[in-house]
Structure formats: C-alpha cells, structure tokens
Amino acid sequence: ATHGHLFQEPSHAEFAWQQRHRSTLTSPLPKEVMFAGNPRTPGSLSFENICFELNTSRMSRLRDTWGSPAKQQKMQEFPLLQYKQTNSSQQNNIAAEDKCMIESWNDEWIVTHLASDAMTGLRHELDVLHSLGILSITANGKVVLSEGWEKRTPQMILQEMKHAWGAMADAHNLFCIHDGMRKALESTWENVDGSWQLALPSKKEKDMIDDEKPVLDEDEYQLRKQIFIENYNNWVSEKNGMGDFGV
C-alpha cells in the first residue's frame, strides 16, 4: 500500500519553483517552460488509492517479469497488434500463454500510466533525482540511492526536513520517512546560524576544509524563492490579462 494521503500536490507557483530550484541547467529558459505550472490539480492527493490498482497479484506478476530477461524479451517480440484485428470468437481461442502475455502488457501499461505526469509525475521525479546524482539505475534496471546522495540533496529538501519531517519537527515520524534516509541526511548536514553546512566529525577536519565547505544560507534561499514566485505571479497575471482581476 502507499501512504497516498501524506502527499498533497503543490500549487502551480510552488511546483514551478521546485522544478527551477532543482534544475541542473544554467542557461536561461523561456518563461513558458520556467513558469509551467503543476500538470496535476494543486491540493489533490495524486497517490491516494493507487494501492488498489497495484494489488498483490499485479505486483507479483510485475516482479516476475522484471526479474526475468527472457520474459522481457518475449514481451518485446509478442505480436500484440494481431489481436486488435481479431473478432471476439477468435480471441476466445487465444492460447493461455498468450493471455498471460497480454495480461503482462496490461500491467506495464497501468504502471506507465500511473507514473505519468497526468497521474503522479513519478517518472519525471525519478528523472530529476537521477540527473542530480541522487538516484542511480543499476544494470538490471533497479532504482537505487547513489553513493554520497546525501551531499547532493537540494536545499528545498533540507528546509522541509527542518520544518516538517525531520526528527526534531516530527518525533513520531508521522510523515513515514524512511529512518535510514532521515538519519543519513541529519548526520550529513547541520544547520548553523541559519545556514546549512556539511557536518564533519572533528574540529581538525572542519578547520582543514572550512573554506571549501558548501554553505546554503536559509535567508538567501527564501529570498530567491520569493522573487521567483513574484515573477511567476506577474507572468501569470500578464498572460491572463485583466480578466485575472475580475475586470
């Protein structure tokens, strides 16, 4: 099951800021791209009820297929289109093995749809985290945390950890964050006088590389976010015209 009630879709402005803040691009973006809003409904619970689609039998079939290169190859070679041209009586004669293959394709389509921008945006999120070096894809296609992922975490995650789901803010872990991930971040970063710095084990080590340590200032972060959202709101107002003000 998924804790779908714990994630609420951000507003259009917040979504645009999240994408820009985590972007690895250094060149200017067109405003239509930079200020693109949330493709899903702000405030909605996009992950809620997904567990009913990803039931035990479907997940079992998916694991079985993903764990077998031979089955994956067979799915790619399966002449699925021929069944679209057959009538109902002919489809009743489809071999049991072929029916299982069609069922496997249906499972793949459902997962692809659920991960799409229209439903949850999970595929896009995985792409972003991979580009940041936080996630890696293994040779057999598994998604894993990259070595040293903690040091590449965007500041927005550190801010959320401090104010929402960190050990100090959420002692009972009501946000259901994995304990290993939470402890890894809290042991890697420390907040000193309103700035995030990499936590080092000894004073000698701190003195040796103090000038090279990344410092993520909270006030600067909030100012950049405020300016971005103001620019976003101005752009939306200009795009919508006077009708945005009810005139």
Side-chain angles (χ1 to χ4, degrees):
T2 177
H3 299 286
H5 58 286
L6 295 176
F7 175 76
Q8 188 177 48
E9 289 290 345
S11 66
H12 291 302
E14 184 72 24
F15 180 88
W17 163 249
Q18 291 176 4
Q19 305 313 307
R20 186 55 179 167
H21 174 62
R22 301 180 302 171
S23 174
T24 57
L25 298 176
T26 57
S27 57
L29 292 173
K31 290 185 178 180
E32 289 77 7
V33 176
M34 184 168 59
F35 294 145
N38 194 338
R40 296 166 295 282
T41 303
S44 64
L45 305 175
S46 55
F47 283 87
E48 196 167 43
N49 299 325
I50 280 183
C51 58
F52 298 111
E53 288 294 337
L54 301 178
N55 52 43
T56 303
S57 59
R58 174 163 286 131
M59 292 303 299
S60 177
R61 291 193 302 268
L62 286 167
R63 292 190 186 97
D64 188 40
T65 300
W66 293 340
S68 172
K71 286 188 176 182
Q72 294 179 29
Q73 181 65 28
K74 191 171 182 180
M75 284 185 64
Q76 294 176 5
E77 298 172 351
F78 184 67
L80 188 64
L81 292 178
Q82 72 178 14
Y83 295 109
K84 293 183 178 180
Q85 301 173 354
T86 59
N87 56 42
S88 57
S89 61
Q90 290 173 317
Q91 290 181 12
N92 291 333
N93 296 324
I94 296 175
E97 183 179 358
D98 288 352
K99 287 185 178 180
C100 290
M101 193 61 63
I102 293 176
E103 194 172 47
S104 295
W105 266 111
N106 186 53
D107 292 338
E108 294 282 347
W109 285 334
I110 287 176
V111 169
T112 300
H113 176 60
L114 292 177
S116 67
D117 284 347
M119 293 298 295
T120 64
L122 181 59
R123 170 59 191 273
H124 172 74
E125 193 68 18
L126 291 175
D127 286 342
V128 171
L129 295 178
H130 181 262
S131 69
L132 292 174
I134 295 176
L135 296 180
S136 297
I137 311 298
T138 65
N140 60 359
K142 290 185 178 180
V143 180
V144 298
L145 286 169
S146 302
E147 185 175 354
W149 66 272
E150 307 96 326
K151 298 179 181 180
R152 306 186 191 98
T153 302
Q155 187 174 355
M156 58 173 285
I157 301 297
L158 301 179
Q159 297 297 124
E160 290 180 359
M161 177 176 69
K162 177 182 178 180
H163 298 291
W165 48 262
M168 294 293 292
D170 184 15
H172 300 290
N173 197 13
L174 299 180
F175 279 87
C176 301
I177 303 297
H178 192 283
D179 283 337
M181 297 179 64
R182 191 161 70 163
K183 290 178 181 177
L185 281 176
E186 292 180 332
S187 63
T188 300
W189 293 93
E190 58 183 358
N191 194 287
V192 180
D193 298 328
S195 296
W196 291 100
Q197 302 177 8
L198 288 174
L200 297 173
S202 67
K203 184 178 185 304
K204 180 179 179 181
E205 189 175 4
K206 290 181 180 180
D207 294 338
M208 287 177 61
I209 63 172
D210 188 60
D211 293 338
E212 301 177 5
K213 288 175 60 178
V215 177
L216 307 176
D217 186 84
E218 288 189 278
D219 290 338
E220 180 183 346
Y221 171 84
Q222 294 297 342
L223 179 61
R224 287 191 288 114
K225 180 178 179 180
Q226 178 184 344
I227 292 173
F228 179 91
I229 291 181
E230 287 177 356
N231 290 335
Y232 170 88
N233 291 331
N234 290 336
W235 180 80
V236 170
S237 296
E238 292 176 4
K239 183 180 177 182
N240 292 342
M242 295 301 292
D244 191 51
F245 301 96
V247 178

